[in-house]
Amino acid sequence: MTVIRNVQADLSRFRLRVLVASLVVVVCFGLVAARLMYLQVTRHDDLLAQAENNRTAIVPIVPNRGLILDRNGVVLATNYSAYTLEVAPSKVADLEQTIDALALLVDITPRDRKRFKKLRDESKSFESVPLRSRLTDEEVARFGAQRYRFPGVDIKARLFRTYPFGELASHVVGYIGRINPAEKEAIEESDDPSNYRGTDYIGKLGVEQSFEPQLHGITGVDAMETSAGGRATRRLTSQGATPGDTVRLSIDIKLQKLVEDMYGERRGALVAIDPKTGEVLAFVSKPTFDPNLFVEGIDHENWQLLNESPDRPLLNRALRGTYPPGSTYKPFMALAALKLGKRTPQTIINDPGFYMFGGHRFGSPENERGGQMDMRRAIVESSNVYFYSLANELGVDAMHDFMAPLGFGQITGIDIHGEVRGVLPSQAWKRQYYKRADQKKWYAGETISLGIGQGYNSFTMLQLAQATAILANGGVKHQPKLVLATQDARSRAITPRHVEPGVDLGFKPEHIKVIRQAMLGVTQTGTSRYVFAGASYLSGGKTGTAQAVSLGKNERYSATRMAERKRDHSLYIAFAPADDPKIALALIVENAGFGSTSAAPIARRAFDYWLMGQYPSEEDMTAVRVGQATAPIGTPRVAVDVPVPDEPWALAAPPALAMPSIPAASADASQLKRR
């Protein structure tokens, strides 16, 4: 039987199949085209970057850290290059066996092993970790000959920070140390985390920490072409690192060393300021520490010695140590009386040797003469009774409001981190500080001892020095500063630090004159007269003795019967020359007794250096260190002839870092008033 096909139907079906097949082909080609468009256009930049990353490796170039100089250009912190033996733990099969084998070629101490273990635990496994630093040329040669035996071990040239003067000014300069996890997290959250790629160290204290951005510099990069195995074959591009800025301080390192040497083994702090500018000339905290110990990571033994020492060498006493000011507070109390109209310079207060208030007897051991006291005599002879009664008249809140603008109990804003506020008491402060209701109440009897710088009063030497500088500068307040300028390492352009203009606190010139004349009397006929005998300039000062521990009601102070750390602190504030002050200072010698025997002699030698260009004789220095000096003894040396310091490894400032001259100690005494 013959089947007749429907040609038209077959043709329709064929055409439909061709159409469907064509559509499928078009869709497939469309998808391919869309994918190509997506890859070639939309994701072009991402894929190109990935390809480049597979072909290249970015190697950070760590910048040279900036130098730190004193005001005269003496180098206080610098860098040197040395070879380091480094191990990449991820590339070493048996780490302990490898280190033991390396120890046959290079001297590796137990301390090196401990530090390596600590750094390895803190580092990523693929990072190379220093095992031994500062290799000698002989050690480099020995390892080089055997390098093929130690895959994953290499020698690298690294820059190391060094502090040529060791312990000198260590609290000011600070130190650098390895970046810890908390610091690494802060860097990663910062605006420019890439700037610390390849950097292992960061400033930890002092200027090194506070001026870290300026000192660190800008990290450079090398773009290297790599093989499939990840080995560098050639450099494609390079952007060099920008070295850190040089930071120039206001301190005079010779004055700093002089003061630190005069403290000897004693504890304490001194801050010297130029009252006209706020520049800090010396910033001393004793005892000090060697910042070089921290550069490569301090070992446990040294850390334990520093951290557990009863002398607390890591405490910056000038910035963070708080003390009652003792009788050095009295000139400011007198100024408050004048400003607030409570007393005139001629007001007479009888001093019988004690002051009765609320049935309690407040003694006056510093003044043995007693009698009728006007303001000048009360300051010169340090009458406690005069200022007990004045504190009672003023009240705690009035004292607080007057003293706060002078900087007591306030943050001065000095340009290093870590400053503490101390305590300037008030009724509001006590309500906030204490928790129990009976402790929150202010009692009238608590006000009395505030007048002589005791009680709740607790200030830093920086605050006391700033207040003294304000007094010396006629009531104009400058913010203390340690850094004068920074200098670009490449262009040598100098950028002075921005300085806020001085703030006039509004004291009457006649009131300032009364206080300064009284402080001049302290050095002429008062408690520090023997110390300043024979000085070719006039100065104003005030001694102070502050209790380190409280005494019982019927207990009398006796230094010979007390443990050394329970004895009174010795304080002194001063400015010179009296008619045109160029330096003001405050200092404390802990547990050293009366201010005239231990603190004032240090101030006298500091003034002689700064104003006269004189450096004490060795005999005189020895006497000062043990608190047995008054006026200088022996023949003073010419300051410019005394090397500072005299260690053979001391560095000189490079000529390229020269900055505009800044006045230092002057030997010209022609304008100084003679005694």
Side-chain angles (χ1 to χ4, degrees), residues 448-652:
I448 307 304
S449 58
L450 298 180
I452 63 166
Q454 294 287 171
Y456 294 114
N457 287 322
S458 184
F459 312 124
T460 66
M461 285 303 105
L462 175 60
Q463 292 169 352
L464 194 54
Q466 183 187 39
T468 306
I470 294 170
L471 195 59
N473 198 35
V476 177
K477 178 181 181 180
H478 288 280
Q479 181 174 303
K481 58 179 178 294
L482 277 164
V483 173
L484 292 179
T486 58
Q487 183 178 33
D488 187 275
R490 288 186 171 175
S491 69
R492 303 299 181 188
I494 297 169
T495 305
R497 292 275 294 161
H498 173 70
V499 179
E500 295 290 340
V503 178
D504 193 332
L505 298 183
F507 298 119
K508 293 183 178 180
E510 57 268 29
H511 292 168
I512 294 287
K513 183 178 180 180
V514 168
I515 305 304
R516 284 172 52 169
Q517 285 296 317
M519 294 177 71
L520 172 62
V522 172
T523 66
Q524 300 300 295
T525 61
T527 50
S528 63
R529 62 189 181 278
Y530 297 117
V531 173
F532 285 88
S536 58
Y537 53 87
L538 293 177
S539 67
K542 184 67 189 81
T543 54
T545 305
Q547 288 183 345
V549 295
S550 300
L551 299 177
K553 183 176 181 180
N554 298 316
E555 188 178 1
R556 292 181 62 85
Y557 177 80
S558 174
T560 57
R561 293 199 300 268
M562 298 182 74
E564 188 265 342
R565 292 180 184 272
K566 294 183 178 181
R567 296 172 189 167
D568 290 347
H569 299 316
S570 175
L571 296 100
Y572 195 67
I573 62 172
F575 56 84
D579 57 346
D580 184 22
K582 295 179 174 61
I583 180 172
L585 56 76
L587 72 144
I588 185 170
V589 184
E590 292 183 11
N591 311 118
F594 297 114
S596 59
T597 59
S598 295
I602 296 176
R604 165 70 192 271
R605 277 71 177 173
F607 286 171
D608 285 353
Y609 168 82
W610 194 253
L611 301 175
M612 307 302 300
Q614 294 179 352
Y615 210 89
S617 66
E618 285 293 347
E619 179 186 10
D620 189 45
M621 292 282 288
T622 301
V624 174
R625 289 188 191 106
V626 294
Q628 296 179 358
T630 51
I633 56 177
T635 303
R637 293 169 282 181
V638 178
V640 295
D641 295 338
V642 179
V644 177
D646 51 6
E647 286 83 352
W649 35 265
L651 301 180

Side-chain angles (χ1 to χ4, degrees), residues 13 86 253 275 284 346 437 577 585 587 599 622 662:
R13 283 194 295 272
E86 303 198 4
I253 198 62
V284 173
Q346 295 76 32
L585 56 76
L587 72 144
T622 301
I662 301 169

Side-chain angles (χ1 to χ4, degrees), residues 291-469:
N292 291 298
L293 293 172
F294 292 87
V295 173
E296 297 178 57
I298 190 169
D299 61 89
H300 177 72
E301 291 76 15
N302 278 313
W303 171 250
Q304 195 170 25
L305 286 173
L306 290 174
N307 200 41
E308 298 180 5
S309 169
D311 290 336
R312 302 181 69 189
L314 294 177
L315 171 65
N316 188 336
R317 285 169 161 82
L319 191 71
R320 300 182 58 80
T322 58
Y323 308 88
S327 292
T328 62
Y329 206 48
K330 292 174 180 176
F332 306 103
M333 285 292 296
L335 186 60
L338 296 173
K339 172 77 171 179
L340 301 176
K342 292 294 184 179
R343 289 183 184 172
T344 69
Q346 295 76 32
T347 302
I348 299 298
I349 301 295
N350 182 50
D351 181 357
F354 61 90
Y355 180 73
M356 296 298 299
F357 183 84
H360 183 79
R361 180 187 176 103
F362 291 85
S364 185
E366 291 188 33
N367 177 48
E368 298 177 355
R369 287 182 257 183
Q372 303 299 305
M373 296 286 172
D374 62 9
M375 185 171 288
R376 184 183 188 281
R377 187 184 176 197
I379 293 174
V380 170
E381 297 186 16
S382 201
S383 168
N384 281 359
V385 171
Y386 185 96
F387 292 99
Y388 284 145
S389 62
L390 177 58
N392 186 44
E393 293 173 29
L394 290 172
V396 61
D397 288 338
M399 283 188 283
H400 172 276
D401 294 345
F402 175 83
M403 297 295 179
L406 289 168
F408 290 110
Q410 313 300 310
I411 298 297
T412 68
I414 193 170
D415 44 359
I416 56 173
H417 301 325
E419 183 181 4
V420 299
R421 187 176 294 275
V423 176
L424 178 62
S426 66
Q427 293 190 68
W429 165 81
K430 196 177 184 190
R431 286 193 297 269
Q432 182 179 5
Y433 184 78
Y434 287 100
K435 295 181 179 180
R436 295 198 336 239
D438 59 319
Q439 293 176 320
K440 290 177 178 290
K441 182 181 178 182
W442 186 272
Y443 297 94
E446 296 175 312
T447 306
I448 307 304
S449 58
L450 298 180
I452 63 166
Q454 294 287 171
Y456 294 114
N457 287 322
S458 184
F459 312 124
T460 66
M461 285 303 105
L462 175 60
Q463 292 169 352
L464 194 54
Q466 183 187 39
T468 306

Side-chain angles (χ1 to χ4, degrees), residues 190-207:
S190 67
D191 295 335
D192 189 14
S194 62
N195 196 37
Y196 277 82
R197 288 187 60 186
T199 301
D200 297 322
Y201 299 91
I202 196 170
K204 299 279 189 175
L205 196 72
V207 173

